Amino acid sequence: MKRILLTALLLSACAPAAVQTAGVQTAGTDLAAPTIIQASFSGDGVIWTEGGRVTLARFPGFQKVSVRVPAGATAVGWQSVNRVNTPWVALAGLGLIVTADARPVSVQVGRTVALSAALVYRQDGSAVGYDGGPASTRLLGTPEAVVTGGDGLEYALQGGKLYRLGSGGQVLLSGAAQPFLYAIVSGAATANAPTVVTLDGRYTLTGTALERRDVAGVLLASVPHPAGLLGQVGSLIVTVQPGGILRFFGPELRELQP
């Protein structure tokens, strides 16, 4: 499988979450943890790819729409500009990114492996804007996951190391990073399982349960849940499981219908 780029988690209803490809989300976004799904969340919904196929479910109805693309998808993500979120799909084999819209816009960018809320990352670690324009941000080598942090800066996971990226190069923040990357108010952090942080707590999919903890790590609630990906969409915690199964939870982890 491809890993999750859970191209990073949402800190607010307007900010796209990382795809945890380890993420991504974190992405995901997932490349770090084995899975066939890569997903990315924003205040406008969730987009995910499974087996190269892409599905988009927009807030508030979350009706699933199959996104037709000319080749297998390699990454998905939400671009965020002035509180407007646009879903994109990367087609590395064609060197393109395309919007997940009825009349898609395509941009030639090269072999894309990861998408953050601000930039498109290529296989060699270089980055471009969503318009294809050059960016000074880059990583030396292929990123496993990327996310735009809560501080507006770029972060990447590579080889068990967490980096902050910028025009001055890459800064090593941790040499023992965990496989899932997610955004926090002060930047980004990593965890051993898909994680999202909101004003209501820290939410984690352990593989057997969806847990909510407070800032001190105290368990506040837990519900049975199989492995998958998660992110914040508006006030909801939304999860995606293999087969495109969506589930929705309020901040206190009461399961809801959209």
Side-chain angles (χ1 to χ4, degrees), residues 147-165:
V147 65
T148 303
D151 56 1
L153 301 178
E154 295 288 295
Y155 295 83
L157 192 64
Q158 180 192 72
K161 297 178 180 179
L162 174 63
Y163 295 96
R164 183 175 66 240
L165 308 179

Side-chain angles (χ1 to χ4, degrees), residues 35-49:
T35 177
I36 59 172
I37 299 180
Q38 178 188 27
S40 184
F41 303 79
S42 82
D44 289 322
V46 54
I47 185 171
W48 70 94
T49 176

Side-chain angles (χ1 to χ4, degrees), residues 40-138:
S40 184
F41 303 79
S42 82
D44 289 322
V46 54
I47 185 171
W48 70 94
T49 176
E50 183 173 8
R53 298 180 298 275
V54 180
T55 306
L56 175 67
R58 287 187 178 273
F59 178 85
F62 292 101
Q63 180 179 355
K64 298 176 189 177
V65 176
S66 179
V67 179
R68 299 184 63 181
V69 291
T74 53
V76 292
W78 293 85
Q79 177 195 23
S80 181
V81 179
N82 297 326
R83 303 178 69 85
V84 175
N85 301 314
T86 303
W88 288 85
V89 180
L91 310 172
L94 299 179
L96 297 174
I97 55 171
V98 297
T99 54
D101 294 319
R103 295 184 178 180
V105 174
S106 64
V107 181
Q108 193 77 42
V109 293
R111 294 188 62 83
T112 299
V113 296
L115 304 173
S116 75
L119 295 175
V120 175
Y121 289 82
R122 299 182 292 201
Q123 192 171 41
D124 65 358
S126 62
V128 297
Y130 278 87
D131 60 358
S136 57
T137 297
R138 73 164 296 137

Side-chain angles (χ1 to χ4, degrees), residues 24 35-36 57 61 80 103 106 119 125 142-143 152 176 184 227 232 235 239 247:
V24 324
T35 177
I36 59 172
S80 181
R103 295 184 178 180
S106 64
L119 295 175
T142 305
I184 58 176
Q232 183 186 18
S235 63
T239 65
R247 294 175 67 180

